Amino acid sequence: MSSRFFRAISDSESDSSDEEELLSDEEQVQSKWGTKKQDDSDDSDDSDDDDDSDENDSEDEPQQARKPMSRFMRDASSDSESEEEVRKVIKSAKDKRLDEFEGVVHAIENAQRIDDWASISKEFDGMLRLCDRQRTLNEAIPTSFIKCLSSLEEFLSASLANKEATKKMKAPNAKAMNGMKSKLKKVTKENEAALAQFKEDPEGYETKVQAAQQTPAVPSVLTKKKESAAPVVVPVAEEVNEEEFQTIGKDGKASLSSDALFKGLTAVLEARGRKSTDRGEQIATLSKLYSSAQTPYQRIRVLLTLVAARFDYSTSANAYMPVDMWKQAREELNVLLQVLFENPSYLVLEQTDDYDDEVERKPNENGEGAFVHVRGSVVSFIDRLDDEFTKSLQQIDPHATEYVERLCDEKQLYQTIVRGQSYFETVLAQDLPPKVASMVDEPLRRCVMRRLEHIYSKQDVIILALETANHEAQPNLPASTITPTLDQVRERPDGPMQLVHALCVFLYQGTEESGERQRTRAILCHVYHHALHADYHVARDRFLMSHLQESVHLADADTQILYNRVLVQLGVCAFRVGLIRECHTALQEIFTTGRVKELLAQGVSKGSAYNTVSAEQEKLDRQRQLPFHMHINLELLECVYLVASMLLEVPNMAYAGADPELRKKIISRPFRRMLDYTDRLVFSGPPENTRDHIMQASRALQNGDWKACTALVESIKIWKLLADKDTVLQRLSRHIQEEGLRTYLFNFASHYDSLSLVHLAETFELPENTVRSIVSRMIWNDELAASLDPTEAMLLFRRMELHRVQQLSLALADRAHAMLEQNEWLLDSKTDDSRSHHSGHGDGKGGDARDGRRKGGRGRPRVQLQAPALGQKV
């Protein structure tokens, strides 16, 4: 019994293990060969099991009782698996997309039953996205889309007709219904033809669409992209032959009909500015549309849209346009100008009468006149091209090679500006109506202003290089009536200045109020250019005649920045020609504020503890910054200002001496503060920067050592930035000698009874006539109490001025007198208090000490200090 028991167990274990191995093998086969062979393996297993069961029935009876259970379990599992496999439906991705589309349509129908417009709007947006996906995958949009549009249109009309239900509708639902009204109107208009076909034969519409889908057709890339703005149902066979087929020209390029091209442009313009618009795809679509354009009107329309799309690529106010995109926009703008040059009967104007955008227009046809007015703005493209170039220079590191490479594009930009100016001059030369001529005159002035702003701050060599490159790149441009020719600019030594003069004079001639800003900026540019060429008196007279200093505070920020730059350049120009006082006057207003960088747009204001700068203000300041190559060197400006202040302030300090009233007269406060700080230093080493050189030169000049002062000033390295460095330093040395003579006479005249002019001339290495002139001027201005002896060339002092000890004595006497007056006032106040306290006592005959003092009686007498006579020893 036991042996049979254990043998039965072992047999069952072996059988079960064999079954597990068999199942594992079957699973491996299924995983390897797929689900198709799984049924075959199951059938073979069943037949094998039947044979095995017959054999086992004859061989072993105990196994006969156990076998049906294993077979039963195996059959049950196989039956369940086969049932699951029958329930599994394998669909392609295309069928799944169609099911998803049908699900959205079903959801919209359910929302219609409960009047839920919010859900309808949400699902409708999802359906439009699914339509976009179908077009992207080049698949037909299901006919259920048109059926849904027709149903929604009828449902919306019924809902709007029921006024009472609309009034009772909740605000979110009513808002969603109004939104659906606009969306449905747009989509219905785009699919107007398909909806009309559906309404004619709702039952047979699907059959027609399926027949059209089976008709072979050549897909059009341009047609597909131009319709990407709205979902379009695949048209029927008649429409496929008209719209989707293209005509291939002799050059091998596909050509579109004018209607299809204009519809593509309309689709691009409608999608412009939307958040989900792919700008790169728009540019590619417009490029292909331009290759298909045939007539000048089509090319002009496509180019106007294409250039605008290029500028839309960068929407951020801080980030600049990519350089490659900028160059492509410039090339396309040049192509547009060339097309307009070749077709002068087409005029691009900012203000035109309304016209149909989807109809071909030609001169003297279909009601058009001799000139076809196209809505657009060429000068706005030029302005934007220039602004993007400036923005890129503002944000590129000026010390990197990328900045220099980018700066080289200014030559190409200048050529485009000159081409635009030439085009507008050509248009004005035609016989235009006065209204049209006035609309063309304004863009011409804007072009001239842009050209002037590119050359007014440049040297003659750079201007000549720009003009030469422009003539070589565009030799066939018509001769300008505004500016001189290239030969005239080359032949005359002042040719570049005459070019700037011609541009400015043209802008001066404008009489419109809108051109006031252009005239103001033209005057400032003209003055700057004269000052750059050291023509100080012409620049000063033109600047003063403009009276801009009275109204510049009302101008915009950019014009105020230009005004400050002109003022600073005038100061540098005066310094270069040797007019020290005029130089200081021009620079004083800028340097007194302490915000030189901010006023010249060469840096951002940092603010202070009491005046914080907002983020918006800082952002605006950064947008106004000038490119690095247009900066005026601030170290040179400071050097010029401090040297001019030294030559004026040091003689003034020597003249004031110890007189408190004269010491209050300060010419340059920033210079005084720096000099006081230098005097308080315990140890002063050799000069290291510009300020140190000038401060030590000032101390040497105070002592009359003009040679040391000259050496220190000439050793400043920043002078190398001046083109006429040697001439400027020579004039500066002469001024230092003259001011050193004046300072010497102010400081040491009290120690002389007479002084020889020859000795002064030898000491300061000045001509005797110059010394005589300086001394005579000082005597005439009452700065020196002396007289000249013409026979012996002697300077005789009248000893009218006090020497140092006398001045200090008088100052001490004044302070003692002030102290006495203060003590008297304190004593009077105490006496008044005591008398008011004891007013009720005594007979009042005790006498008042204050009255006695006033009458000169028993009170303490006043001490009177008088200054000694002039010339008297103390």
Side-chain angles (χ1 to χ4, degrees):
M1 293 291 291
S2 62
S3 61
R4 288 186 61 187
F5 176 76
F6 286 106
R7 188 171 59 250
I9 294 176
S10 61
D11 293 341
S12 65
E13 289 177 352
S14 62
D15 292 339
S16 63
S17 63
D18 293 338
E19 292 174 0
E20 291 176 357
E21 292 176 356
L22 180 61
L23 291 175
S24 62
D25 294 338
E26 291 175 355
E27 292 174 357
Q28 293 177 1
V29 171
Q30 292 175 4
S31 62
K32 181 176 183 181
W33 297 102
T35 59
K36 183 177 180 181
K37 293 186 179 181
Q38 184 176 0
D39 299 335
D40 298 339
S41 62
D42 292 339
D43 296 339
S44 62
D45 291 340
D46 294 337
S47 61
D48 293 340
D49 292 338
D50 294 338
D51 297 339
D52 293 341
S53 63
D54 295 337
E55 293 176 0
N56 291 334
D57 291 338
S58 61
E59 291 178 0
D60 195 356
E61 291 180 358
Q63 293 181 2
Q64 187 176 2
R66 295 188 299 272
K67 209 52 171 165
M69 183 168 294
S70 63
R71 186 171 63 249
F72 172 76
M73 295 176 62
R74 191 164 56 249
D75 292 340
S77 62
S78 63
D79 292 339
S80 62
E81 290 176 359
S82 62
E83 290 175 0
E84 291 177 359
E85 292 169 1
V86 171
R87 287 194 297 269
K88 289 181 179 177
V89 178
I90 300 175
K91 293 185 179 181
S92 63
K94 182 177 179 180
D95 295 336
K96 290 182 180 179
R97 288 192 288 269
L98 293 177
D99 291 343
E100 185 178 358
F101 202 99
E102 296 297 334
V104 174
V105 173
H106 184 66
I108 292 177
E109 293 175 353
N110 292 337
Q112 288 180 7
R113 294 188 183 96
I114 61 175
D115 201 17
D116 187 1
W117 283 102
S119 299
I120 292 174
S121 178
K122 181 179 179 182
E123 296 296 337
F124 187 75
D125 292 338
M127 186 169 61
L128 294 182
R129 287 193 294 269
L130 293 178
C131 291
D132 292 338
R133 186 181 66 180
Q134 292 292 105
R135 282 193 306 274
T136 304
L137 298 174
N138 199 17
E139 295 179 0
I141 298 175
T143 56
S144 56
F145 174 68
I146 292 297
K147 296 179 181 179
C148 184
L149 281 182
S150 179
S151 175
L152 281 174
E153 189 177 7
E154 295 175 358
F155 182 64
L156 180 62
S157 301
S159 299
L160 293 175
N162 192 355
K163 301 294 183 181
E164 296 181 0
T166 304
K167 292 180 181 179
K168 296 179 181 179
M169 194 178 295
K170 293 184 179 180
N173 207 22
K175 184 178 180 181
M177 185 180 68
N178 292 330
M180 273 299 301
K181 180 180 178 181
S182 59
K183 286 190 287 187
L184 192 61
K185 180 179 179 182
K186 181 179 180 182
V187 178
T188 302
K189 183 179 179 181
E190 294 168 351
N191 300 278
E192 188 174 359
L195 282 171
Q197 292 178 4
F198 174 76
K199 292 178 181 179
E200 290 177 0
D201 187 9
E203 297 179 356
Y205 177 75
E206 185 174 358
T207 305
K208 292 181 181 180
V209 172
Q210 290 177 358
Q213 293 175 0
Q214 294 175 1
T215 303
V218 180
S220 172
V221 178
L222 294 179
T223 304
K224 182 182 71 175
K225 289 190 176 181
K226 79 181 181 62
E227 294 175 349
S228 61
V232 179
V233 177
V234 175
V236 294
E238 293 79 5
E239 295 179 349
V240 170
N241 295 330
E242 294 179 1
E243 295 184 6
E244 289 198 354
F245 280 103
Q246 295 180 349
T247 303
I248 305 300
K250 296 180 180 180
D251 54 355
K253 295 183 179 180
S255 61
L256 292 177
S257 63
S258 60
D259 294 339
L261 186 140
F262 291 137
K263 287 181 180 178
L265 280 178
T266 304
V268 172
L269 290 174
E270 288 179 354
R272 183 184 177 190
R274 292 181 181 175
K275 187 176 182 181
S276 59
T277 302
D278 187 354
R279 297 181 178 87
E281 183 181 357
Q282 278 192 331
I283 292 173
T285 302
L286 291 170
S287 300
K288 294 180 180 178
L289 286 177
Y290 178 73
S291 63
S292 302
Q294 301 296 325
T295 63
Y297 178 72
Q298 292 178 2
R299 290 199 294 270
I300 292 172
R301 285 286 310 279
V302 175
L303 283 172
L304 286 172
T305 311
L306 180 56
V307 177
R310 294 281 186 192
F311 290 124
D312 287 346
Y313 193 83
S314 178
T315 57
S316 176
N318 296 326
Y320 62 91
M321 189 176 179
V323 179
D324 296 338
M325 190 69 65
W326 183 88
K327 291 182 178 179
Q328 292 174 358
R330 189 194 67 83
E331 292 175 358
E332 290 159 358
L333 180 56
N334 288 338
V335 173
L336 174 61
L337 290 172
Q338 185 63 30
V339 173
L340 293 173
F341 267 117
E342 296 173 355
N343 302 274
S345 57
Y346 291 93
L347 300 179
V348 179
L349 303 175
E350 296 182 2
Q351 298 178 0
T352 61
D353 297 333
D354 294 335
Y355 57 87
D356 192 354
D357 290 337
E358 299 183 0
V359 176
E360 177 68 28
R361 302 171 65 198
K362 295 182 180 180
N364 300 319
E365 293 185 11
N366 299 327
E368 298 290 345
F371 296 98
V372 177
H373 299 166
V374 185
R375 188 179 297 108
S377 178
V378 177
V379 70
S380 296
F381 292 154
I382 296 176
D383 292 343
R384 182 68 184 276
L385 203 66
D386 194 5
D387 293 340
E388 290 292 339
F389 176 76
T390 303
K391 191 187 299 184
S392 65
L393 291 177
Q394 289 174 348
Q395 300 185 28
I396 296 176
D397 183 11
H399 305 291
T401 56
E402 183 183 0
Y403 187 88
V404 180
E405 295 174 356
R406 183 59 175 149
L407 190 59
C408 294
D409 295 334
E410 185 178 13
K411 177 177 63 175
Q412 300 175 355
L413 175 61
Y414 185 77
Q415 295 170 8
T416 303
I417 295 174
V418 175
R419 181 187 286 264
Q421 175 190 337
S422 179
Y423 165 70
F424 289 119
E425 289 186 54
T426 306
V427 172
L428 281 177
Q430 303 179 32
D431 188 12
L432 299 176
K435 183 178 180 181
V436 178
S438 63
M439 287 191 290
V440 178
D441 184 67
E442 176 62 22
L444 175 59
R445 295 186 179 279
R446 288 167 63 180
C447 270
V448 171
M449 190 72 242
R450 289 285 178 174
R451 184 178 181 181
L452 177 62
E453 289 177 348
H454 275 275
I455 63 175
Y456 82 94
S457 61
K458 291 181 172 57
Q459 300 290 341
D460 293 349
V461 179
I462 302 177
I463 297 177
L464 284 174
L466 286 175
E467 291 294 323
T468 303
N470 173 60
H471 181 72
E472 293 176 355
Q474 305 175 123
N476 298 325
L477 282 181
S480 175
T481 58
I482 298 175
T483 58
T485 62
L486 178 61
D487 295 335
Q488 294 174 349
V489 173
R490 285 177 175 176
E491 292 172 357
R492 300 186 57 173
D494 60 342
M497 186 175 291
Q498 292 300 321
L499 175 62
V500 174
H501 177 78
L503 295 173
C504 292
V505 168
F506 175 76
L507 294 174
Y508 296 157
Q509 295 173 355
T511 57
E512 304 84 0
E513 294 183 0
S514 59
E516 181 65 28
R517 182 177 183 273
Q518 294 177 356
R519 290 192 292 272
T520 301
R521 294 183 66 85
I523 292 172
L524 293 175
C525 291
H526 207 173
V527 173
Y528 190 100
H529 195 69
H530 279 292
L532 192 65
H533 289 75
D535 197 356
Y536 173 76
H537 295 90
V538 176
R540 181 200 60 186
D541 294 344
R542 194 177 297 277
F543 181 77
L544 294 177
M545 287 170 60
S546 65
H547 298 283
L548 291 177
Q549 61 272 17
E550 301 172 1
S551 59
V552 70
H553 62 280
L554 301 175
D556 58 293
D558 294 335
T559 304
Q560 292 185 20
I561 291 170
L562 181 58
Y563 176 86
N564 295 335
R565 285 168 54 83
V566 170
L567 201 61
V568 165
Q569 195 65 40
L570 271 175
V572 176
C573 177
F575 184 83
R576 290 169 61 188
V577 298
L579 301 175
I580 302 301
R581 188 171 294 278
E582 288 80 357
C583 167
H584 183 270
T585 303
L587 298 178
Q588 176 76 7
E589 184 177 356
I590 301 295
F591 275 87
T592 304
T593 60
R595 300 181 297 126
V596 182
K597 285 185 178 181
E598 181 183 356
L599 294 176
L600 297 179
Q602 298 180 190
V604 181
S605 58
K606 299 180 181 179
S608 62
Y610 306 100
N611 185 20
T612 58
V613 180
S614 62
E616 185 68 21
Q617 182 64 33
E618 184 177 357
K619 181 180 177 181
L620 292 175
D621 291 344
R622 291 188 183 280
Q623 292 177 359
R624 298 191 191 103
Q625 297 303 299
L626 292 173
F628 182 77
H629 70 281
M630 296 183 65
H631 285 192
I632 300 174
N633 192 282
L634 297 180
E635 185 179 357
L636 177 62
L637 282 181
E638 184 182 24
C639 180
V640 169
Y641 174 70
L642 291 179
V643 170
S645 300
M646 176 189 72
L647 295 176
L648 296 176
E649 193 66 67
V650 170
N652 178 57
M653 294 170 62
Y655 173 69
D659 191 347
E661 295 298 329
L662 293 178
R663 289 180 67 89
K664 293 180 181 179
K665 182 183 178 182
I666 299 176
I667 297 177
S668 175
R669 292 187 180 276
F671 177 81
R672 280 282 187 98
R673 287 195 296 266
M674 293 181 190
L675 191 61
D676 293 342
Y677 175 78
T678 305
D679 292 339
R680 288 195 300 268
L681 292 178
V682 179
F683 173 76
S684 59
E688 298 179 356
N689 51 30
T690 303
R691 290 185 180 182
D692 293 344
H693 278 83
I694 296 176
M695 291 302 106
Q696 292 195 14
S698 301
R699 296 174 67 177
L701 188 61
Q702 285 179 323
N703 298 327
D705 190 359
W706 67 270
K707 292 184 178 180
C709 178
T710 303
L712 286 169
V713 171
E714 290 181 350
S715 62
I716 299 175
K717 298 180 180 180
I718 199 64
W719 298 125
K720 63 183 180 182
L721 297 181
L722 294 176
D724 47 354
K725 170 187 173 183
D726 297 335
T727 306
V728 171
L729 291 181
Q730 185 178 359
R731 290 174 179 170
L732 187 59
S733 176
R734 181 64 176 268
H735 278 287
I736 292 176
Q737 290 174 332
E738 295 176 358
E739 298 303 327
L741 172 61
R742 295 180 68 244
T743 305
Y744 181 82
L745 291 176
F746 286 140
N747 285 332
F748 304 106
S750 59
H751 300 279
Y752 292 97
D753 291 330
S754 63
L755 195 59
S756 173
L757 297 182
V758 177
H759 175 72
L760 290 176
E762 294 176 354
T763 303
F764 292 94
E765 298 181 5
L766 289 171
E768 186 176 349
N769 293 334
T770 303
V771 174
R772 186 185 298 273
S773 174
I774 294 173
V775 171
S776 300
R777 192 181 309 115
M778 294 175 65
I779 294 174
W780 177 262
N781 294 329
D782 292 335
E783 296 176 347
L784 196 64
S787 60
L788 278 174
D789 187 357
T791 58
E792 299 181 1
M794 295 290 293
L795 180 61
L796 304 176
F797 296 98
R798 296 201 299 268
R799 313 304 301 165
M800 294 298 295
E801 59 275 338
L802 302 177
H803 54 73
R804 181 70 173 175
V805 178
Q806 291 175 335
Q807 293 175 356
L808 293 176
S809 300
L810 288 177
L812 178 62
D814 292 338
R815 292 184 180 180
H817 182 68
M819 187 181 300
L820 178 62
E821 290 291 335
Q822 185 177 7
N823 291 336
E824 289 286 341
W825 181 80
L826 290 174
L827 183 60
D828 290 344
S829 62
K830 289 185 177 294
T831 304
D832 291 339
D833 293 341
S834 61
R835 186 177 63 177
S836 63
H837 182 69
H838 299 286
S839 59
H841 303 281
D843 54 359
K845 296 180 181 181
D848 193 353
R850 185 179 61 184
D851 295 337
R853 285 194 302 273
R854 288 180 177 177
K855 296 177 181 179
R858 292 177 298 175
R860 183 168 57 88
R862 290 179 179 270
V863 178
Q864 298 291 336
L865 297 179
Q866 297 180 354
L870 292 176
Q872 182 180 353
K873 293 185 179 180
V874 178

